Amino acid sequence: MIAETVCSAAAAAGLGIAAVTAYRKRFLAAARLVAYSLVPLGLVMTGAVEWAADTAFSPVAWAGFGVLGASWLLFTTTRAVERRGGGTRKERKAARAAQRDAVAPSASAPSLGPAKSPATRPESKSKAKPRAAESGDDFSDIEAILKKHGI
Protein backbone atom coordinates (compact mmCIF):
# COMPACT_ATOMS: atom_id res chain seq x y z
CA MET A 1 0.00 0.00 0.00
CA ILE A 2 2.88 2.35 0.72
CA ALA A 3 4.43 1.60 -2.67
CA GLU A 4 1.20 2.57 -4.45
CA THR A 5 1.06 5.85 -2.52
CA VAL A 6 4.69 6.69 -3.31
CA CYS A 7 4.21 5.93 -7.03
CA SER A 8 1.06 8.06 -7.18
CA ALA A 9 2.83 10.95 -5.44
CA ALA A 10 5.80 10.67 -7.84
CA ALA A 11 3.39 10.79 -10.80
CA ALA A 12 1.62 13.87 -9.41
CA ALA A 13 4.95 15.64 -8.77
CA GLY A 14 6.15 14.84 -12.26
CA LEU A 15 2.96 16.19 -13.80
CA GLY A 16 3.38 19.39 -11.77
CA ILE A 17 6.97 19.83 -12.98
CA ALA A 18 5.80 19.19 -16.55
CA ALA A 19 3.16 21.95 -16.18
CA VAL A 20 5.82 24.43 -15.03
CA THR A 21 8.07 23.39 -17.93
CA ALA A 22 5.24 23.88 -20.42
CA TYR A 23 4.55 27.33 -18.91
CA ARG A 24 8.17 28.23 -19.76
CA LYS A 25 7.42 27.32 -23.40
CA ARG A 26 9.58 24.19 -23.43
CA PHE A 27 6.86 21.94 -24.79
CA LEU A 28 9.06 19.07 -25.98
CA ALA A 29 10.68 18.70 -22.55
CA ALA A 30 7.25 19.03 -20.89
CA ALA A 31 5.82 16.24 -23.05
CA ARG A 32 8.77 14.02 -22.14
CA LEU A 33 8.24 14.74 -18.44
CA VAL A 34 4.55 13.84 -18.73
CA ALA A 35 5.51 10.53 -20.35
CA TYR A 36 7.93 9.70 -17.53
CA SER A 37 5.41 10.75 -14.89
CA LEU A 38 2.68 8.50 -16.21
CA VAL A 39 4.83 5.33 -15.96
CA PRO A 40 4.56 4.88 -12.16
CA LEU A 41 0.85 5.71 -12.27
CA GLY A 42 0.32 3.06 -14.97
CA LEU A 43 2.27 0.48 -12.96
CA VAL A 44 0.07 1.15 -9.92
CA MET A 45 -3.12 0.89 -11.99
CA THR A 46 -2.12 -2.43 -13.60
CA GLY A 47 -1.20 -4.01 -10.28
CA ALA A 48 2.47 -4.48 -11.21
CA VAL A 49 3.62 -2.59 -8.11
CA GLU A 50 1.56 -4.84 -5.82
CA TRP A 51 2.87 -7.94 -7.59
CA ALA A 52 6.47 -6.69 -7.27
CA ALA A 53 5.99 -5.95 -3.56
CA ASP A 54 4.50 -9.40 -2.98
CA THR A 55 7.31 -11.01 -4.94
CA ALA A 56 10.07 -9.11 -3.14
CA PHE A 57 9.01 -10.49 0.24
CA SER A 58 8.17 -14.05 -0.87
CA PRO A 59 10.77 -16.77 -0.23
CA VAL A 60 9.14 -18.98 -2.87
CA ALA A 61 9.59 -16.24 -5.47
CA TRP A 62 13.27 -15.87 -4.57
CA ALA A 63 13.72 -19.64 -4.81
CA GLY A 64 12.12 -19.46 -8.27
CA PHE A 65 14.60 -16.76 -9.32
CA GLY A 66 17.40 -19.01 -8.03
CA VAL A 67 16.11 -21.93 -10.11
CA LEU A 68 15.90 -19.70 -13.18
CA GLY A 69 19.49 -18.53 -12.59
CA ALA A 70 20.72 -22.11 -12.22
CA SER A 71 18.93 -23.05 -15.43
CA TRP A 72 20.52 -20.15 -17.30
CA LEU A 73 23.96 -21.03 -15.91
CA LEU A 74 23.63 -24.67 -17.00
CA PHE A 75 22.45 -23.65 -20.45
CA THR A 76 25.32 -21.25 -21.08
CA THR A 77 27.91 -23.66 -19.67
CA THR A 78 26.76 -26.54 -21.85
CA ARG A 79 26.74 -24.29 -24.93
CA ALA A 80 30.31 -23.17 -24.20
CA VAL A 81 31.51 -26.74 -23.67
CA GLU A 82 29.74 -27.87 -26.84
CA ARG A 83 31.39 -25.15 -28.92
CA ARG A 84 34.79 -25.86 -27.45
CA GLY A 85 34.46 -29.64 -27.65
CA GLY A 86 33.51 -29.73 -31.31
CA GLY A 87 29.80 -30.45 -31.31
CA THR A 88 27.69 -33.38 -30.29
CA ARG A 89 28.92 -36.82 -29.41
CA LYS A 90 27.90 -38.14 -32.81
CA GLU A 91 29.85 -35.38 -34.60
CA ARG A 92 33.00 -36.03 -32.53
CA LYS A 93 32.78 -39.77 -33.25
CA ALA A 94 32.47 -39.10 -36.99
CA ALA A 95 35.45 -36.73 -36.86
CA ARG A 96 37.61 -39.36 -35.13
CA ALA A 97 36.63 -41.96 -37.70
CA ALA A 98 37.49 -39.59 -40.54
CA GLN A 99 40.85 -38.85 -38.95
CA ARG A 100 41.69 -42.56 -38.67
CA ASP A 101 40.77 -43.10 -42.32
CA ALA A 102 43.10 -40.29 -43.47
CA VAL A 103 46.14 -42.60 -43.22
CA ALA A 104 46.15 -45.98 -44.91
CA PRO A 105 46.51 -48.79 -42.35
CA SER A 106 49.83 -50.07 -43.74
CA ALA A 107 51.33 -46.66 -44.51
CA SER A 108 53.61 -44.81 -42.15
CA ALA A 109 52.63 -41.38 -43.52
CA PRO A 110 49.48 -39.93 -45.07
CA SER A 111 49.11 -40.69 -48.72
CA LEU A 112 49.20 -37.53 -50.82
CA GLY A 113 48.36 -39.03 -54.20
CA PRO A 114 50.58 -40.12 -57.07
CA ALA A 115 53.92 -38.36 -57.30
CA LYS A 116 54.55 -36.24 -60.36
CA SER A 117 57.98 -35.80 -61.89
CA PRO A 118 59.30 -32.25 -61.79
CA ALA A 119 59.13 -30.28 -65.01
CA THR A 120 62.34 -30.20 -67.01
CA ARG A 121 64.06 -26.88 -67.23
CA PRO A 122 66.42 -25.62 -69.89
CA GLU A 123 70.03 -25.98 -68.79
CA SER A 124 71.98 -22.90 -67.88
CA LYS A 125 74.94 -21.58 -69.90
CA SER A 126 77.42 -23.30 -67.63
CA LYS A 127 77.80 -26.98 -68.31
CA ALA A 128 76.62 -28.54 -65.07
CA LYS A 129 76.48 -32.19 -64.19
CA PRO A 130 73.34 -34.04 -65.24
CA ARG A 131 70.57 -33.28 -62.83
CA ALA A 132 69.73 -35.68 -60.07
CA ALA A 133 66.06 -35.75 -61.17
CA GLU A 134 67.07 -37.80 -64.17
CA SER A 135 68.57 -40.37 -61.85
CA GLY A 136 65.37 -40.53 -59.83
CA ASP A 137 66.40 -38.31 -56.92
CA ASP A 138 63.51 -36.30 -55.45
CA PHE A 139 65.75 -33.55 -54.05
CA SER A 140 67.07 -32.28 -57.37
CA ASP A 141 65.35 -28.91 -57.10
CA ILE A 142 66.76 -28.33 -53.66
CA GLU A 143 70.25 -29.36 -54.78
CA ALA A 144 70.05 -26.97 -57.73
CA ILE A 145 69.08 -24.08 -55.47
CA LEU A 146 71.85 -24.86 -53.02
CA LYS A 147 74.44 -25.10 -55.81
CA LYS A 148 73.22 -21.83 -57.28
CA HIS A 149 73.89 -20.08 -53.98
CA GLY A 150 77.23 -21.81 -53.51
CA ILE A 151 76.21 -23.97 -50.58
Side-chain angles (χ1 to χ4, degrees):
M1 180 130 164
I2 293 176
E4 288 91 355
T5 306
V6 170
C7 286
S8 299
L15 290 173
I17 294 171
V20 171
T21 306
Y23 179 76
R24 293 181 180 170
K25 307 235 189 258
R26 298 186 62 210
F27 298 110
L28 187 62
R32 204 173 301 129
L33 280 169
V34 169
Y36 284 127
S37 298
L38 292 177
V39 170
L41 187 62
L43 289 174
V44 167
M45 293 174 75
T46 60
V49 172
E50 184 180 349
W51 173 81
D54 290 343
T55 303
F57 299 110
S58 171
V60 174
W62 283 107
F65 284 125
V67 168
L68 287 174
S71 171
W72 176 80
L73 183 66
L74 283 171
F75 179 72
T76 55
T77 303
T78 56
R79 291 291 293 172
V81 169
E82 183 180 33
R83 286 185 184 169
R84 188 172 186 193
T88 63
R89 185 176 190 183
K90 194 176 196 180
E91 291 170 348
R92 288 191 304 267
K93 192 174 183 180
R96 273 186 262 135
Q99 187 178 16
R100 274 187 258 126
D101 293 341
V103 177
S106 62
S108 61
S111 57
L112 301 174
K116 296 181 181 177
S117 62
T120 59
R121 297 184 196 149
E123 293 194 24
S124 63
K125 292 181 182 178
S126 66
K127 298 288 181 179
K129 291 194 277 184
R131 294 174 47 114
E134 296 169 0
S135 65
D137 191 7
D138 291 335
F139 298 106
S140 63
D141 292 338
I142 297 171
E143 289 175 5
I145 293 170
L146 291 174
K147 285 180 184 177
K148 180 179 175 185
H149 292 286
I151 299 175

